């Protein structure tokens, strides 16, 4: 079957590469790729092409989120509601992940990097979407975090383990840990290497390593411990490099971030999270000089003020040194990418939150990427830089920039059409009229196709 080319004519193009918008542009899509881009006056439109008049509209690349958890948001997985969520949807995790991938696609996110999830379900959803048997944002998955426990361990919601049956808790944690959980910290390095090699053979796309622990919700935010010795970390990274997958590091302290740079990590997940400690100048210099990309998680001013007024835990990571570190890296011109840690929370959990806390919540998939770009502009990025941070920079960080992240000939035709100029106001990224993924128009009103979490209870 031969596809009919599509031409979007006379559109204002913001291609994601950081340059100014290009008014009066024609973009031609044939199959799933961009095939021609240039001035409308001189760009040939193929005979028989479907033409879309882009007058008065702006085109940006499909948004790319560098850190999501499609099964659930971290701000939920470490607190009340964890047990009921995991129990209610047990056996349907693939479908829940697909629902989350559809929620983001509806709002223009065409690719996500899922950096912590139940391994087999997230790979199953990835494969179904890639095969076209389900819809959703394109998924690149890490599965678990090497060296970290499951959702009912001390790394997340240990109180849930104490309240649930141990059979259920063990089953769920094992599903997430997949043989490379927190128990690795007890093993000799050769055994760690063998387990990581076996884990990589499952077909994960990226490998995330717990350089720091994640037990702050169990023991408090006044401490952080490194999970492995340097020789063990070196062995894990060597296996990832041998398998040809990008390396991500989870760190929660200045020293853990230093170690992540020593390892040559491709992506520094939540690089601004140093447990409230500001960056030393020497660390900023190292980040800027490195090849690592800093994934920043951020909260825009209006939501931060609401959290502070409510006395919410989220306010802790919304301001202070956390926000200061973001501003420092922006000012230093570090390589920054979007990541939100967002997921698909339960209706019950959201209903328990005060209205001001759940409105425009940065950890709820669907609007989280808009929240991120707004916050980055507030902290010093230009709108063009924020758009690149939410598109091409993520692709570059994960080594996928030959495929996605910008509107360029030969790349997958992922793009979003807007009815207002985001360079006038970054919040105009919300003004979506159309979303295309791989050259195909997304029926936004039909998503999610089989809602579960977002409609329960009815």
């Amino acid at each position: 079957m031969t596809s009919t080319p599509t031409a979007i004519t006379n559109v204002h193009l913001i291609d994601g590469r950081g340059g100014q918008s290009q008014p009066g542009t024609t973009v031609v899509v044939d199959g799933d790729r961009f095939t021609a881009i240039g001035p409308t006056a001189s760009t040939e439109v193929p005979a028989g092409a479907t033409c879309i008049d882009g007058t008065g509209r702006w085109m940006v690349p499909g948004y790319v989120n560098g850190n999501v958890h499609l099964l659930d948001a971290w701000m939920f997985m470490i607190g009340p509601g964890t047990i009921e969520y995991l129990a209610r949807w047990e056996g349907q995790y693939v479908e829940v992940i697909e629902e989350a991938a559809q929620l983001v696609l509806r709002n223009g996110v065409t690719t996500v990097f899922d950096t912590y999830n139940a391994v087999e379900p997230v790979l199953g959803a990835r494969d179904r979407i890639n095969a076209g048997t389900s819809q959703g944002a394109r998924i690149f998955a890490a599965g678990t975090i090497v060296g970290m426990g499951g959702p009912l361990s001390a790394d997340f919601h240990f109180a849930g383990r104490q309240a649930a049956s141990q059979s259920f808790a063990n089953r769920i944690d094992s599903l997430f840990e997949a043989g490379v959980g927190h128990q690795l910290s007890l093993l000799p390095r050769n055994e760690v290497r063998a387990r990581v090699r076996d884990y990589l053979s499952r077909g994960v796309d990226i490998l995330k390593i717990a350089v720091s622990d994640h037990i702050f919700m169990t023991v408090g935010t006044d401490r952080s411990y490194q999970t492995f010795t340097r020789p063990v970390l070196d062995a894990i990274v060597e296996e990832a490099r041998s398998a040809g997958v990008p390396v991500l590091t989870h760190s929660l302290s200045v020293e853990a971030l230093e170690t992540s740079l020593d390892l040559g990590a491709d992506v520094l997940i939540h690089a601004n999270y140093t447990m409230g400690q500001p960056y030393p100048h020497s660390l900023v210099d190292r980040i800027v000089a490195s090849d690592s990309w800093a994934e920043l998680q951020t909260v825009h001013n209006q939501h931060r003020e609401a959290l502070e007024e409510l006395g919410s835990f989220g306010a802790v990571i919304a301001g202070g040194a956390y926000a200061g570190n973001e501003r420092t890296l922006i000012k230093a011109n570090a390589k920054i990418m979007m990541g939100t840690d967002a997921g698909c929370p339960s209706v019950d959990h959201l209903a328990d939150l005060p209205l001001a806390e759940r409105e425009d919540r940065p950890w709820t998939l669907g609007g989280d990427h808009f929240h991120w770009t707004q916050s980055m502009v507030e902290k010093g990025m230009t709108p063009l830089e924020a758009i690149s941070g939410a598109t091409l920079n993520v692709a570059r960080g994960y080594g996928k920039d030959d495929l996605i992240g910008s509107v360029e000939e030969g790349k997958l035709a992922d793009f979003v059409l807007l009815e207002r100029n985001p360079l006038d106001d970054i919040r105009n990224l919300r003004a979506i009229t159309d979303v295309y993924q791989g050259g195909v128009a997304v029926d936004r009103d039909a998503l999610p196709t089989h809602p579960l979490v977002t409609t329960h209870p009815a």
Side-chain angles (χ1 to χ4, degrees):
M1 182 177 177
T2 304
S3 62
T4 301
T6 298
I8 299 88
T9 62
N10 209 37
V11 74
H12 293 263
L13 174 63
I14 301 172
D15 64 14
R17 294 184 290 177
Q20 292 297 319
S21 69
Q22 305 162 46
T25 298
T26 286
V27 177
V28 178
V29 175
D30 197 352
D32 63 354
R33 306 278 170 159
F34 297 114
T35 56
I37 302 166
T40 294
S42 58
T43 301
E44 182 178 354
V45 174
T50 299
C51 291
I52 298 171
D53 184 4
T55 302
R57 290 199 276 179
W58 284 260
M59 177 187 290
V60 296
Y63 311 122
V64 185
N65 198 326
N67 179 23
V68 301
H69 309 295
L70 294 171
L71 188 59
D72 183 53
W74 78 272
M75 285 292 281
F76 159 59
M77 194 68 87
I78 58 178
T82 300
I83 302 173
E84 66 193 56
Y85 188 103
L86 293 169
R88 179 177 290 148
W89 307 117
E90 187 179 12
Q92 294 181 285
Y93 291 164
V94 170
E95 290 79 6
V96 171
I97 291 167
E98 289 173 350
E99 178 180 7
Q102 292 172 9
L103 292 175
V104 300
L105 180 60
R106 184 175 69 188
N107 287 285
V109 179
T110 50
T111 303
V112 297
F113 291 83
D114 188 305
T115 70
Y116 177 72
N117 214 314
V119 184
E120 293 306 323
V122 74
L123 295 184
R126 176 199 67 182
D127 293 346
R128 282 163 52 100
I129 291 170
N130 286 345
T133 57
S134 182
Q135 290 180 265
R138 192 177 296 110
I139 299 171
F140 293 97
T144 196
I145 304 173
V146 175
M148 196 172 288
L152 296 171
S153 73
D155 283 311
F156 290 95
H157 190 50
F158 190 61
R161 169 169 285 275
Q162 296 169 313
S165 69
Q166 294 308 290
S167 294
F168 173 76
N170 291 339
R171 182 169 68 249
I172 296 300
D173 280 354
S174 294
L175 181 67
F176 278 75
E177 294 167 8
V180 290
H182 53 77
Q183 299 85 357
L184 287 193
S185 63
L186 299 174
L187 301 179
R189 68 191 65 161
N190 286 341
E191 177 66 16
V192 173
R193 181 188 291 276
R195 290 203 186 195
V196 170
R197 184 181 301 162
D198 179 68
Y199 179 73
L200 287 164
S201 72
R202 290 171 175 251
V204 295
D205 304 293
I206 51 183
L207 192 73
K208 186 175 180 182
I209 305 168
V211 175
S212 290
D213 64 71
H214 197 268
I215 61 173
F216 66 94
M217 287 302 293
T218 300
V219 302
T221 58
D222 61 342
R223 71 201 78 186
S224 180
Y225 305 105
Q226 295 203 40
T227 309
F228 299 109
T229 64
R230 178 61 192 274
V232 173
L233 287 170
D234 286 339
I236 296 171
V237 172
E238 286 168 10
E239 290 303 317
R241 297 305 183 201
S242 179
V245 302
V247 171
L248 296 63
T249 53
H250 162 93
S251 62
L252 290 177
S253 69
V254 168
E255 280 302 308
L257 196 51
E258 294 272 13
T259 299
S260 299
L261 291 166
D262 291 341
L263 295 170
D266 299 293
V267 179
L268 309 169
I269 294 294
H270 44 61
N272 54 317
Y273 282 14
T274 52
M275 286 302 188
Q277 301 301 311
Y279 293 142
H281 294 303
S282 59
L283 176 57
V284 177
D285 292 342
R286 285 199 68 195
I287 293 173
V288 172
S290 75
D291 293 327
S292 302
W293 287 79
E295 180 265 320
L296 302 182
Q297 289 166 209
T298 189
V299 180
H300 67 56
N301 291 338
Q302 182 178 351
H303 196 73
R304 174 185 54 77
E305 290 167 1
L307 293 175
E308 289 172 347
E309 186 173 339
L310 291 167
S312 167
F313 167 75
V316 174
I317 57 177
Y322 296 88
N325 288 341
E326 297 166 40
R327 294 188 185 94
T328 296
L329 289 187
I330 291 170
K331 186 175 181 179
N333 199 31
K335 295 178 287 296
I336 294 169
M337 68 159 69
M338 177 172 71
T340 62
D341 242 350
C344 186
S346 81
V347 173
D348 288 336
H349 177 66
L350 292 176
D352 283 354
L353 299 177
L355 180 62
E357 190 168 353
R358 66 177 184 264
E359 280 194 334
D360 204 22
R361 184 173 179 264
W363 303 288
T364 299
L365 286 172
D368 51 314
H369 52 302
F370 303 134
H371 190 117
W372 189 91
T373 48
Q374 179 180 336
S375 185
M376 287 291 99
V377 170
E378 290 174 350
K379 290 177 173 64
M381 279 189 177
T382 67
L384 279 170
E385 289 170 340
I387 291 169
S388 293
T391 55
L392 184 58
N393 288 5
V394 184
R396 285 172 170 164
Y398 285 104
K400 302 296 181 185
D401 50 310
D402 61 332
L403 188 69
I404 58 173
S406 58
V407 180
E408 295 183 72
E409 292 179 16
K411 288 192 177 183
L412 288 172
D414 298 343
F415 62 94
V416 179
L417 295 177
L418 309 170
E419 61 184 355
R420 293 191 292 276
N421 186 358
L423 304 186
D424 290 340
D425 186 337
I426 196 64
R427 292 173 295 182
N428 288 340
L429 289 177
R430 301 172 185 258
I432 295 173
T433 63
D434 299 276
V435 174
Y436 281 73
Q437 183 190 46
V440 178
V442 175
D443 185 352
R444 300 173 65 218
D445 293 335
L447 298 179
T449 55
H450 298 94
L452 294 170
V453 176
T454 53
T455 58
H456 180 90

